[in-house]
Amino acid sequence: MEIRINGEPVQVDGPCTVAAIVEQRTGQRAPMGIAVARNGAVVPRSQWFDVQVQEDDELELVGVMQGG
């Protein structure tokens, strides 16, 4: 199935969870410092393993940075 990650089209084997996508992209199971939005809505980390990614979903993976 095709989804978009950070604006880029990506083919993934479906169905899969947000957690699986994050792991594929980062190489880590549930890395700290990453926030995920699915179709414009933030997905709480506690739901990453439950939220299924669907055809044509748009995901944004954002690295959180500390500033000062």
Side-chain angles (χ1 to χ4, degrees), residues 1-67:
M1 72 178 169
E2 185 171 297
I3 62 172
R4 293 183 78 74
I5 299 176
N6 295 345
E8 299 293 323
V10 176
Q11 288 290 327
V12 297
D13 294 331
C16 62
T17 63
V18 168
I21 297 294
V22 171
E23 184 172 3
Q24 288 172 7
R25 300 295 282 200
T26 67
Q28 298 177 9
R29 185 161 178 154
M32 297 302 294
I34 299 288
V36 179
R38 177 177 167 250
N39 300 325
V42 172
V43 179
R45 180 179 299 276
S46 62
Q47 295 178 11
W48 284 9
F49 292 92
D50 298 322
V51 174
Q52 294 289 317
V53 177
Q54 304 294 322
E55 179 83 26
D56 296 324
D57 275 356
E58 295 190 22
L59 299 179
E60 293 289 329
L61 278 64
V62 180
V64 179
M65 298 182 72
Q66 201 171 5

